[in-house]
Amino acid sequence: MTKYQEVENAIRRSIFAGAYREGARLPNMDALSLQYHVSNVTIRRALNELAAQGLIIKHRGGAGSYVKPITTWNREHADEAGRETRMLPLRRELVRFEQHEPRADVAAALMVSVRSEVYEICQAYCEDEDAVVLETSQLPARLFPGLTPEELGSSVEAYVEQRLQASLCPSESIVRARLATAAERQLLAIPAAVPVMEIEQVRYLADGRPCIYARRVLCGAHAALHTVTRRA
């Protein structure tokens, strides 16, 4: 479990235990950093995750973070997130690391020229000996000059936050079901008739710059989609 997940879980438990009541303002980032002995970057990432789960609301301009009303949905959603961070992580294997010019759709998503260069990093998430998730991330080369697989480590997002000393903002995802490509069938060891779930996502820095274009492909047997319908 990463540092930000430990902080995220600790604050979530405090909210559910009533230490931070509805409408209460959380301590500022400096105070939380001292309390949990981590950097402000780690605190910011933990708060972003809690905001994405609907437990807190973050106000801009240094106005702080406040606890939202606890509802059935955000309690279940946050509980599910907590269970996921407590699970043993899947083992990651680097499948491909390349530097090349981006496709037009990737260039548009990353707001770079098609004549610029991106790093393309494909990783397989493995459960025991079987790959169950393929993740392909593309990063603008100008933001990360000289990037190597050894420097990257196992997590693209963790590397980006550490390299730029900035947290990634929560982002929306496009989810689609489709048949796997030949390469995906080979890596995931699935037959042609088994569907996969594809999750497309662009991650942004706090200043609005896109820095990661990612596609995750999950084997149908390991994919689940949770949706919530709200009244306008």
Side-chain angles (χ1 to χ4, degrees):
M1 185 184 301
T2 63
K3 286 290 185 184
Y4 89 82
Q5 289 172 330
E6 293 177 2
V7 175
E8 173 195 341
N9 285 340
I11 296 176
R12 184 191 300 109
R13 288 193 297 268
S14 295
I15 292 173
F16 286 166
Y20 301 123
R21 297 188 179 278
E22 176 184 333
R25 180 177 177 174
L26 295 179
N28 62 35
M29 288 209 301
D30 289 338
L32 290 171
S33 294
L34 290 174
Q35 179 179 348
Y36 294 107
H37 307 288
V38 295
S39 68
N40 280 10
V41 171
T42 299
I43 295 297
R44 188 179 297 113
R45 176 73 185 275
L47 295 179
N48 284 342
E49 294 296 330
L50 292 170
Q53 295 161 24
L55 285 180
I56 66 172
I57 183 169
K58 297 178 66 182
H59 292 290
R60 296 184 180 275
S65 301
Y66 293 81
V67 178
K68 295 179 68 175
I70 302 299
T71 65
T72 300
W73 178 80
N74 63 14
R75 176 179 284 275
E76 290 178 350
H77 185 58
D79 278 343
E80 181 180 357
R83 286 194 298 272
E84 288 177 354
T85 59
R86 290 190 293 269
M87 291 172 60
L88 290 175
L90 297 174
R91 178 172 51 85
R92 304 189 195 199
E93 292 184 358
L94 181 65
V95 176
R96 186 175 66 256
F97 183 98
E98 300 174 347
Q99 185 173 351
H100 55 71
E101 294 181 351
R103 297 194 318 263
D105 59 327
V106 176
L110 291 175
M111 299 175 64
V112 298
S113 167
V114 292
R115 296 182 179 178
S116 64
E117 291 198 331
V118 296
Y119 297 106
E120 181 173 343
I121 303 135
C122 180
Q123 294 178 304
Y125 291 70
C126 302
E127 187 176 61
D128 296 325
E129 298 301 320
D130 299 324
V132 295
V133 180
L134 297 178
E135 179 184 77
T136 302
S137 303
Q138 299 194 45
L139 287 66
R142 59 180 173 78
L143 286 181
F144 311 98
L147 175 62
T148 65
E150 293 75 22
E151 182 185 7
L152 176 67
S154 61
S155 170
V156 173
E157 294 182 353
Y159 165 78
V160 168
E161 291 190 321
Q162 183 178 9
R163 174 77 178 259
L164 299 182
Q165 287 297 292
S167 291
L168 297 173
C169 296
S171 59
E172 295 182 352
S173 301
I174 299 174
V175 182
R176 58 178 67 89
R178 60 171 176 78
L179 294 177
T181 66
E184 290 164 351
R185 291 198 301 270
Q186 181 178 2
L187 288 168
L188 294 172
I190 56 176
V194 174
V196 295
M197 180 182 290
E198 180 184 69
I199 304 172
E200 180 182 3
Q201 189 177 58
V202 180
R203 300 302 304 268
Y204 296 86
L205 299 172
D207 61 8
R209 286 181 297 167
C211 59
I212 303 175
Y213 173 84
R215 286 179 182 265
R216 294 180 179 89
V217 176
L218 296 78
C219 175
H222 297 269
L225 177 64
H226 176 76
T227 62
V228 176
T229 302
R230 295 175 177 170
R231 181 177 298 175

